Amino acid sequence: MSYFLRNPSNYTAEKFAEDVAAVLPVALPQYQKHGQMISCARCGIGHRGGSFSIHARGEPDMITDVDIVSVCDVCSMDPALPPLDQWKHVCATSGMFVAEKNWATFATALRWLGADALREKLGWPLVSRLLQADGHLREVCNAVIFFDGSASNLTRESPFVFPWQSDKPVFAGGGSIKVALKAALRWGSFMVIEEHRSGATKQGGRSDDTKK
Ligand SMILES: [Zn+2]
């Protein structure tokens, strides 16, 4: 793994689940391209829908693993879904299984994948909200900006302050937003504080190798 972000203190399974629920809908097509989240964990049918379900394993105050499983449209409508341990098709093509020590790494890498998926439609640069996984970064800014690294084809990301107009969107880009973000990058008015992000180690670009 070339990228690791230590979990912030108090990063509970619930907060991790909220982070995943925020960015996975956008990142999901990237996983599906690689053969993950393409079958229903409950009935086994192959599908490319966008429904998923998040389950925590362990005792309530000692959660150690969180399973993110794909659910087909039919099963997701079923109001009487049994607990996950009774689902018969939980496997590598229907789920992602994240150990506690990797929660923040996974959530932020998932955001990166979501940005990469949106790039195909909107181009760079674009911004995304901070997640609870970002920890102390939330005290100084409210977004990250994704853009082209100057001398290479690597995507870069940096903390950023963005005037979010509502609570809704997790990502923003394209159109007039893109023009404004480009201007901000040109004037260097983004925050270069990556090195202050304790616990983060980067070697080259991020990749999606946190998935199993
Ligand atoms: Zn199903």
Side-chain angles (χ1 to χ4, degrees), residues 40 42-45 71-72 74-75:
C40 175
R42 190 208 180 193
C43 72
I45 193 174
V71 190
C72 74
V74 176
C75 289

PDB file of all heavy atoms in Angstrom, residues 40 42-45 71-72 74-75, ligand 1:
ATOM      1  N   CYS A  40     -25.002  -9.275  -6.299  1.00  0.00           N
ATOM      2  CA  CYS A  40     -25.776  -8.984  -5.087  1.00  0.00           C
ATOM      3  C   CYS A  40     -25.330  -9.920  -3.962  1.00  0.00           C
ATOM      4  O   CYS A  40     -25.300 -11.140  -4.122  1.00  0.00           O
ATOM      5  CB  CYS A  40     -27.266  -9.168  -5.370  1.00  0.00           C
ATOM      6  SG  CYS A  40     -28.300  -8.968  -3.910  1.00  0.00           S
ATOM      7  N   ARG A  42     -26.838 -10.697  -1.379  1.00  0.00           N
ATOM      8  CA  ARG A  42     -27.904 -11.474  -0.782  1.00  0.00           C
ATOM      9  C   ARG A  42     -28.398 -12.591  -1.707  1.00  0.00           C
ATOM     10  O   ARG A  42     -28.482 -13.737  -1.317  1.00  0.00           O
ATOM     11  CB  ARG A  42     -29.065 -10.574  -0.411  1.00  0.00           C
ATOM     12  CG  ARG A  42     -30.075 -11.317   0.430  1.00  0.00           C
ATOM     13  CD  ARG A  42     -31.431 -10.737   0.218  1.00  0.00           C
ATOM     14  NE  ARG A  42     -32.434 -11.431   1.000  1.00  0.00           N
ATOM     15  CZ  ARG A  42     -33.716 -11.271   0.796  1.00  0.00           C
ATOM     16  NH1 ARG A  42     -34.128 -10.439  -0.133  1.00  0.00           N
ATOM     17  NH2 ARG A  42     -34.584 -11.933   1.504  1.00  0.00           N
ATOM     18  N   CYS A  43     -28.700 -12.266  -2.998  1.00  0.00           N
ATOM     19  CA  CYS A  43     -29.265 -13.287  -3.888  1.00  0.00           C
ATOM     20  C   CYS A  43     -28.263 -13.774  -4.940  1.00  0.00           C
ATOM     21  O   CYS A  43     -28.505 -14.759  -5.621  1.00  0.00           O
ATOM     22  CB  CYS A  43     -30.528 -12.764  -4.563  1.00  0.00           C
ATOM     23  SG  CYS A  43     -30.209 -11.504  -5.820  1.00  0.00           S
ATOM     24  N   GLY A  44     -27.139 -13.101  -5.099  1.00  0.00           N
ATOM     25  CA  GLY A  44     -26.087 -13.573  -5.982  1.00  0.00           C
ATOM     26  C   GLY A  44     -26.215 -13.130  -7.431  1.00  0.00           C
ATOM     27  O   GLY A  44     -25.313 -13.365  -8.229  1.00  0.00           O
ATOM     28  N   ILE A  45     -27.305 -12.470  -7.779  1.00  0.00           N
ATOM     29  CA  ILE A  45     -27.509 -12.066  -9.174  1.00  0.00           C
ATOM     30  C   ILE A  45     -26.456 -11.014  -9.573  1.00  0.00           C
ATOM     31  O   ILE A  45     -26.062 -10.173  -8.759  1.00  0.00           O
ATOM     32  CB  ILE A  45     -28.945 -11.518  -9.364  1.00  0.00           C
ATOM     33  CG1 ILE A  45     -29.288 -11.396 -10.845  1.00  0.00           C
ATOM     34  CG2 ILE A  45     -29.116 -10.166  -8.680  1.00  0.00           C
ATOM     35  CD1 ILE A  45     -30.750 -11.006 -11.088  1.00  0.00           C
ATOM     36  N   VAL A  71     -25.990  -4.607  -3.210  1.00  0.00           N
ATOM     37  CA  VAL A  71     -27.329  -5.193  -3.121  1.00  0.00           C
ATOM     38  C   VAL A  71     -28.073  -4.852  -4.415  1.00  0.00           C
ATOM     39  O   VAL A  71     -28.051  -3.701  -4.851  1.00  0.00           O
ATOM     40  CB  VAL A  71     -28.114  -4.605  -1.931  1.00  0.00           C
ATOM     41  CG1 VAL A  71     -29.399  -5.394  -1.705  1.00  0.00           C
ATOM     42  CG2 VAL A  71     -27.271  -4.620  -0.671  1.00  0.00           C
ATOM     43  N   CYS A  72     -28.705  -5.863  -5.032  1.00  0.00           N
ATOM     44  CA  CYS A  72     -29.415  -5.587  -6.291  1.00  0.00           C
ATOM     45  C   CYS A  72     -30.673  -4.761  -6.015  1.00  0.00           C
ATOM     46  O   CYS A  72     -31.104  -4.625  -4.872  1.00  0.00           O
ATOM     47  CB  CYS A  72     -29.764  -6.889  -7.016  1.00  0.00           C
ATOM     48  SG  CYS A  72     -31.123  -7.805  -6.261  1.00  0.00           S
ATOM     49  N   VAL A  74     -33.772  -5.321  -6.572  1.00  0.00           N
ATOM     50  CA  VAL A  74     -34.894  -6.065  -5.992  1.00  0.00           C
ATOM     51  C   VAL A  74     -34.682  -6.268  -4.491  1.00  0.00           C
ATOM     52  O   VAL A  74     -35.545  -5.953  -3.671  1.00  0.00           O
ATOM     53  CB  VAL A  74     -35.061  -7.434  -6.700  1.00  0.00           C
ATOM     54  CG1 VAL A  74     -36.160  -8.245  -6.030  1.00  0.00           C
ATOM     55  CG2 VAL A  74     -35.351  -7.239  -8.171  1.00  0.00           C
ATOM     56  N   CYS A  75     -33.499  -6.768  -4.124  1.00  0.00           N
ATOM     57  CA  CYS A  75     -33.229  -7.008  -2.697  1.00  0.00           C
ATOM     58  C   CYS A  75     -33.226  -5.702  -1.906  1.00  0.00           C
ATOM     59  O   CYS A  75     -33.645  -5.680  -0.747  1.00  0.00           O
ATOM     60  CB  CYS A  75     -31.897  -7.731  -2.518  1.00  0.00           C
ATOM     61  SG  CYS A  75     -31.922  -9.452  -3.061  1.00  0.00           S
TER      62      CYS A  75
HETATM   63 ZN    ZN B   1     -30.385  -9.449  -4.801  1.00  0.00          ZN
END
